């Protein structure tokens, strides 16, 4: 699976001036720079067409296009990501965990999208910090997990990216402001960079770890009755 990460330019800027640079990748991923703030009210009234632009670009490129965005649902703000495949919007994934008190709140559940490039799981922003996020998407048979992140500060995003790929046996990719990286199923960073456009090939491979736990004392299966 060939992926092109766009880490700083807006979607329309690339579409108008740099379309040839994207080439013939299978997937193009924009960070939160891609769309900025999207108002559902304005989208539904036709005042804006941000989501439609994602669909149109995916159709013109004949590939999958994913972009991070902040969504305004009549005053309720969420971190989100929209995905389109060959001219069709497949869905919008929201961040499922809200950290501390802030303007942005938790949204919908996780989802693996069946696309022309393969099964893609999407993690939005700080959901990366919760191990169950990658675990859920891996159990739903994602071929690759892509995380859209705001801005890298410190080492934790890269640590969780590598740990998630290793512990769940599925490659994971990260696209943030001025940074992109990919971790393979062994937890190794296979590519990383701070350039605006970064292209790489992700090998679709999976691994499964057999896990056992030591238990002390009386133990009874959860569904065995009491």
């Amino acid at each position: 699976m060939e992926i092109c990460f766009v880490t700083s330019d807006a979607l329309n800027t690339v579409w108008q001036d740099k379309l040839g640079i994207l080439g013939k990748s299978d997937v193009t991923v924009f960070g939160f720079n891609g769309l900025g703030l999207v108002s559902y009210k304005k989208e539904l009234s036709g005042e804006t067409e941000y989501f439609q632009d994602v669909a149109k670009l995916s159709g013109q490129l004949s590939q999958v296009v994913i972009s991070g965005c902040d969504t305004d649902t009549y005053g309720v703000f969420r971190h989100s990501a929209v995905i389109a495949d060959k001219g069709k919007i497949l869905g919008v994934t929201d961040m499922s965990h809200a950290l501390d008190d802030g303007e942005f709140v938790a949204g919908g559940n996780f989802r693996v999208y069946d696309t022309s490039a393969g099964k893609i799981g999407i993690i939005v922003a700080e959901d990366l910090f919760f191990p169950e996020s990658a675990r859920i998407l891996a159990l739903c048979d994602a071929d690759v997990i892509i995380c859209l992140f705001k801005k890298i500060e410190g080492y934790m995003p890269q640590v969780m990216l590598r740990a998630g790929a290793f512990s769940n046996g599925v490659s994971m990719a990260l696209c943030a402001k001025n940074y992109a990286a990919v971790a393979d199923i062994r937890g190794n960073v296979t590519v990383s960079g701070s350039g605006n456009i970064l292209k790489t090939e992700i090998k679709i491979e999976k691994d499964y770890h057999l896990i056992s736990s030591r238990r002390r004392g009386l133990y009874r299966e959860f569904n065995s009755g009491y």
Side-chain angles (χ1 to χ4, degrees):
M1 181 188 295
E2 184 174 335
I3 297 185
C4 178
F5 299 98
V6 183
T7 69
S8 61
D9 280 336
L11 183 142
N12 280 330
T13 299
V14 173
W15 196 353
Q16 294 170 8
D17 302 326
K18 304 178 181 180
L19 194 60
I21 301 177
L22 299 182
K24 296 183 178 180
S25 302
D26 300 305
V27 182
T28 295
V29 182
F30 292 83
F32 281 82
N33 50 280
L35 294 179
L37 179 64
V38 179
S39 166
Y40 278 110
K41 181 179 180 180
K42 292 181 179 180
E43 287 287 290
L44 292 172
S45 67
E47 186 175 343
T48 61
E49 294 183 341
Y50 289 113
F51 289 166
Q52 196 61 32
D53 286 345
V54 177
K56 289 178 180 178
L57 179 60
S58 73
Q60 184 169 342
L61 295 173
S62 190
Q63 61 179 249
V64 178
V65 174
I66 305 170
S67 179
C69 59
D70 293 327
T71 52
D72 174 6
T73 309
Y74 296 89
V76 178
F77 295 91
R78 297 184 176 93
H79 296 312
S80 308
V82 59
I83 178 170
D85 187 9
K86 295 185 177 181
K88 180 181 178 181
I89 294 289
L90 300 184
V92 179
T93 293
D94 298 324
M95 185 173 73
S96 296
H97 300 87
L99 287 176
D100 305 319
D101 294 327
E103 182 181 13
F104 293 89
V105 300
N109 294 323
F110 300 101
R111 181 177 172 184
V112 173
Y113 294 90
D114 196 355
T115 76
S116 58
K119 296 179 180 179
I120 300 176
I122 294 180
I123 290 178
V124 180
E126 280 76 14
D127 280 348
L128 179 63
F129 296 150
F130 296 84
E132 63 267 26
S133 303
R135 176 59 55 87
I136 289 169
L137 296 172
L139 289 175
C140 291
D141 202 28
D143 293 323
V144 65
I145 297 173
I146 296 176
C147 176
L148 289 302
F149 207 84
K150 276 279 189 175
K151 183 180 180 181
I152 300 298
E153 295 178 345
Y155 295 102
M156 192 54 64
Q158 294 97 324
V159 169
M160 296 304 296
L161 183 79
R162 297 177 65 180
F166 170 76
S167 61
N168 296 294
V170 59
S171 296
M172 293 182 62
L174 174 71
C175 186
K177 183 178 181 181
N178 299 320
Y179 181 78
V182 176
D184 65 17
I185 63 173
R186 286 160 288 280
N188 299 319
V189 175
T190 58
V191 63
S192 67
S194 57
N196 177 36
I197 295 180
L198 178 66
K199 296 180 181 180
T200 187
E201 183 80 24
I202 295 182
K203 182 180 179 181
I204 302 301
E205 54 180 347
K206 298 181 182 180
D207 191 18
Y208 301 92
H209 302 287
L210 297 177
I211 301 172
S212 61
S213 301
R214 179 184 177 187
R215 300 184 177 93
R216 298 180 62 185
L218 178 63
Y219 174 79
R220 181 179 293 174
E221 293 291 341
F222 178 75
N223 61 354
S224 63
Y226 291 92

